[in-house]
């Protein structure tokens, strides 16, 4: 089912005016959204734990409180912590301070959709999900533009939840680029599916497999890295700018012909069947249960997979080559995530 794109001219209500907004979490999305909403003229405070986020928010000129204090003061509580911690933070520091008519806001539907958070019936529950990382949301806002966003609601106590979601997106700069209506189910299903099967899981598995095929047949690991990983950005940039047509137009006839002939053999019926199974496990909660079980056990599986990825030949060769590229030199400080 298609959806109509809305822009700033289409968001004409003012239900958000006069409301105090508390951002819970001041990471990539929290930092971007809080600054954007403040620059749009809204009353914004931050709820955080003492440490890096607290200090960053203070440095940026915000009034910073504990999560419980910020949530208690606010009319709108925008919860932007990590998915795995969000339920505990809500139960420990937000739930008891909610008042009738408050708005609970999210940028990903995971915790509401899978029941980790069960809000009371007398509050609005809305979603505003930017389709881009936090620093891009902030940068494009300051440039006078924005990134597109999804808007919608789970629960409409006030009768204005949808309008509130659109207004919040507009304040974030997203209506400059375009807004699409969604549901918590649709946003969660599609977001997880895209990450797992294409944007992250699919792309990284494809790169790793291509690297292994070349190196196992005796080709240079360094050349293999450039062929299957380094050039990926260049191809994705062309697709971002003008879709497949621009990408094919900017590449050789040889590469275009090979893409049409070989691509469907690599990503064929078996891959499609695996994607359908992955979608089913998102829809029925299997993935969410496995993820939360691993989190509650201390992330043993995630840590093993993280270590394997960080120590693979592909990662080591890539780090060595990138160390000689000044334009990406700082990137590898992120290659071994903290526990």
């Amino acid at each position: 089912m298609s959806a109509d794109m809305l822009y700033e001219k289409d968001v004409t209500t003012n239900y958000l005016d006069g409301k105090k907004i508390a951002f819970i979490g001041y990471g990539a999305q929290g930092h971007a959204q809080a600054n954007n909403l403040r620059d749009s003229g809204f009353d914004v405070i931050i709820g955080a734990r003492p440490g890096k986020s607290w200090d960053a928010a203070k440095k940026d000129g915000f009034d910073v409180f504990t999560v419980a204090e910020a949530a208690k003061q606010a009319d709108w509580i925008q919860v932007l912590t990590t998915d795995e911690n969000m339920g505990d933070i809500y139960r420990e520091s937000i739930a008891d301070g909610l008042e009738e008519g408050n708005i609970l806001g999210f940028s990903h539907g995971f915790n509401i959709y899978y029941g980790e958070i069960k809000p009371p019936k007398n509050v609005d529950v809305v979603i505003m999900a930017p389709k881009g990382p936090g620093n891009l949301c902030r940068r494009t806002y300051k440039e006078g533009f924005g990134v597109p966003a999804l808007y919608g609601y789970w629960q409409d106590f006030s009768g204005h939840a949808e309008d509130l979601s659109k207004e919040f997106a507009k304040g974030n700069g997203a209506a400059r680029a375009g807004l699409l209506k969604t549901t918590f189910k649709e946003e969660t299903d599609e977001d997880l599916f895209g990450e797992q099967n294409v944007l992250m899981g699919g792309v990284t598995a494809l790169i790793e497999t291509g690297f292994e095929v070349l190196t196992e047949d005796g080709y240079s690991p360094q050349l293999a890295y450039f062929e299957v990983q380094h050039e990926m950005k260049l191809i994705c940039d062309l697709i971002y700018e003008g879709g497949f047509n621009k990408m094919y137009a900017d590449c050789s006839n040889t590469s275009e012909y090979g893409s049409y002939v070989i691509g469907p053999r690599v990503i064929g019926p078996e891959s499609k069947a695996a994607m359908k199974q992955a979608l089913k496990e998102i829809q029925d909660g299997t993935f969410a249960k496995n993820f939360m079980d691993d989190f509650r056990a201390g992330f043993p599986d995630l840590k093993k997979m993280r270590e394997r990825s960080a120590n693979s030949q592909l990662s080591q060769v890539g780090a060595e080559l990138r160390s000689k590229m000044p334009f990406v030199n700082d990137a590898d400080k992120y290659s071994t995530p903290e526990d």
Side-chain angles (χ1 to χ4, degrees), residues 190-202:
E190 291 193 354
D191 190 70
L192 293 177
F193 179 85
E195 291 168 352
Q196 295 171 17
N197 292 271
V198 181
L199 303 175
M200 295 174 66

Side-chain angles (χ1 to χ4, degrees), residues 304-324:
K304 287 176 187 174
M305 293 183 285
R306 198 177 265 172
E307 183 178 4
R308 184 206 67 79
S309 177
N311 295 322
S312 70
Q313 184 185 21
L314 174 61
S315 290
Q316 292 171 352
V317 169
E320 176 190 352
L321 292 173
R322 287 189 297 274
S323 70
K324 299 174 175 64

